[in-house]
Amino acid sequence: MKIESIVLREIRLPLVHFFETSFGRTTERRIVLVEMRTDGPTGWGECTAGEHPFFSEETTDSAWHVIEHELAPLLAGRDVAHGRDCPALLARVRGNAMAKASLENALWDVEAQAAGVSLSKLLGGTRATIPTGVSIGIQDSPEALLEKIATEVSAGYQRIKLKCKPGWDVTIFEAVREKFPDITLSCDANSAYRPDDFEHIAKFDDFGLLMIEQPLWDDDFYYHSLLQKRLTTALCLDESIRNRRHACAAIEMKSCRILNIKLGRVGGFSEAIAVHDVAARLGVPVWCGGMLESGIGRAHNVALSSMPNFQLPGDVSASRRYWEQDVVAPEITVGANGEIVVPTIAGRGYEVDVDRIEKLTVRKTEVNMRV
Ligand code: OSB
Ligand code: MG
């Protein structure tokens, strides 16, 4: 596949409901989309960097800069046979995993279309449907949260994840458990706690949580291993796991018993597969995280989640929870059983609505092959 040009667009998409974590509130996404034009099919990728460097150091603007000036020029004009060949071509640029993933994932999309197989199949996916859960942000009041949970539970979602932070944790879990004693519940702190809080976090054990996600520093394994020793509840790492070596270290150190895999955070499908595979070999279940993606990133998450060791419901939920109207058709939907049907048609399985994307575009540039 010869990569003829890479078109970058930034779109603005308002969320139907704000999303608040321990690091702040998002009301509108600024998303960089990659359109990879080749001598064969055209592939699409999404950069999952946030608007601010709060989840990781990347942002919409930093990713735009790095893709335009550093990464896309390494690919434009090249003949690349497989999506898996991409990391080596981009390796001299350090970090910038989300920027890299947007390009690599577009190439996997191209490859799947060219091979006439679904993206799921190309990745080695084995599931026809994937179990899904939701991540519910911090709300203005406990009542508002309980109402949201009721909506998602009746929609069929198989696991409810609550964002938490000091002041929005134990009392919230008490209120939730009082009303929903039997639902599968987890929490995600996005690094809001410190070792002084260990005794407080130990109280989380009373609520029968499936897991506690990333309570401590975003780059830590050691203190998580100390905390895991003091808990009966499984820890799950998100921010700390950026590649296969990190997954090995975290599992070896017993820093967690579950892993969250995000395509952007680990730099694309190749590394996501590597993390998936090593976790499977070491007996650690994984699930697919979310970054408030549009339909393009969401389609990639659906395909990734079809791999065999994605044993737990992911944060891969329906388009309509996020957007008035998505940028793909059909939009991603979740059945009453809380499952998404994995597409079987060639490629990503959801058509990109280019007209709609053009309308949402606030900047656009094209990186062409050198002549
Ligand atoms: O930590 O999982 C996280 C969203 C933005 C940044 C970090 C996280 C999240 C989510 C949202 O939890 C998951 C989703 O896309 O619904
Ligand atoms: Mg998380």
Side-chain angles (χ1 to χ4, degrees):
M1 309 169 298
K2 191 176 173 73
I3 299 171
E4 292 183 335
S5 92
I6 296 167
V7 181
L8 292 186
R9 293 181 185 81
E10 180 189 330
I11 62 167
R12 307 254 163 138
L13 267 186
L15 287 160
V16 296
H17 187 270
F18 68 81
F19 188 80
E20 185 171 324
T21 68
S22 62
F23 52 70
R25 183 177 284 199
T26 307
T27 54
E28 182 186 60
R29 293 296 335 279
R30 293 177 54 210
I31 300 173
V32 179
L33 296 177
V34 168
E35 179 185 3
M36 187 172 286
R37 299 181 181 158
T38 72
D39 55 355
T42 291
W44 286 83
E46 172 167 346
C47 181
T48 61
E51 292 70 32
H52 300 280
F54 299 159
F55 174 82
S56 74
E57 62 283 357
E58 290 184 89
T59 67
T60 308
D61 290 314
S62 77
W64 179 282
H65 175 84
V66 169
I67 297 168
E68 180 181 7
H69 297 291
E70 303 289 346
L71 299 172
L74 294 173
L75 298 179
R78 274 192 190 263
D79 228 312
V80 187
H82 302 286
R84 65 171 181 268
D85 300 334
C86 196
L89 298 171
L90 305 180
R92 76 177 207 212
V93 174
R94 292 208 177 142
N96 295 284
M98 291 167 176
K100 288 175 178 173
S102 63
L103 291 164
E104 185 192 331
N105 296 352
L107 204 50
W108 281 82
D109 180 13
V110 170
E111 182 182 355
Q113 293 175 65
V117 300
S118 68
L119 185 53
S120 158
K121 181 144 195 211
L122 183 64
L123 297 170
T126 52
R127 297 173 190 277
T129 61
I130 60 164
T132 67
V134 291
S135 172
I136 303 184
I138 294 165
Q139 304 297 314
D140 287 332
S141 67
E143 294 73 32
L145 176 65
L146 293 173
E147 211 170 289
K148 279 216 159 270
I149 297 172
T151 304
E152 306 298 10
V153 168
S154 51
Y157 287 104
Q158 298 183 17
R159 184 225 61 205
I160 303 290
K161 163 172 136 182
L162 306 178
K163 289 292 183 180
C164 67
K165 63 177 183 181
W168 187 271
D169 50 25
V170 171
T171 55
I172 294 298
F173 303 153
E174 272 165 3
V176 171
R177 271 305 183 211
E178 194 177 322
K179 207 156 170 210
F180 305 95
D182 301 322
I183 59 172
T184 303
L185 198 63
S186 70
C187 70
D188 183 359
N190 290 107
S191 305
Y193 299 93
R194 292 295 174 261
D196 280 351
D197 302 315
F198 278 12
E199 231 165 279
H200 177 68
I201 298 172
K203 295 187 212 149
F204 294 13
D205 273 340
D206 295 343
F207 301 98
L209 304 177
L210 176 63
M211 69 188 98
I212 301 168
E213 186 177 339
Q214 198 74 38
L216 308 173
W217 295 276
D218 63 292
D219 60 353
D220 173 74
F221 301 124
Y222 175 65
Y223 288 92
H224 280 95
S225 77
L226 298 185
L227 177 59
Q228 180 67 92
K229 278 201 194 92
R230 297 179 57 161
L231 298 173
T232 54
T233 311
L235 291 182
C236 169
L237 291 179
D238 174 356
E239 283 90 328
S240 294
I241 307 295
R242 289 169 176 241
N243 55 47
R244 181 185 179 281
R245 289 178 296 101
H246 290 168
C248 291
I251 295 168
E252 173 85 9
M253 292 174 72
K254 297 185 164 45
S255 306
C256 62
R257 301 205 291 260
I258 295 173
L259 291 181
N260 161 323
I261 299 181
K262 288 179 178 166
L263 280 166
R265 195 193 69 224
V266 303
F269 278 120
S270 299
E271 199 65 30
I273 293 168
V275 173
H276 165 276
D277 289 353
V278 76
R281 186 161 61 73
L282 299 173
V284 171
V286 306
W287 56 278
C288 184
M291 292 293 286
L292 311 176
E293 288 93 344
S294 83
I296 293 170
R298 200 164 295 279
H300 292 166
N301 288 343
V302 170
L304 180 69
S305 303
S306 71
M307 295 187 73
N309 193 35
F310 281 82
Q311 299 186 44
L312 298 168
D315 284 344
V316 187
S317 53
S319 298
R320 67 170 52 146
R321 291 189 63 248
Y322 306 83
W323 322 116
E324 209 67 70
Q325 191 191 335
D326 207 338
V327 300
V328 298
E331 61 173 33
I332 288 82
T333 56
V334 172
N337 54 3
E339 292 181 343
I340 295 175
V341 177
V342 179
T344 53
I345 60 172
R348 84 191 81 79
Y350 302 86
E351 210 52 61
V352 173
D353 186 343
V354 183
D355 287 344
R356 172 148 172 80
I357 287 173
E358 284 290 344
K359 288 197 188 92
L360 298 167
T361 295
V362 296
R363 58 173 156 165
K364 179 176 177 180
T365 191
E366 185 167 349
V367 179
N368 286 299
M369 47 203 249
R370 286 149 295 182
V371 279

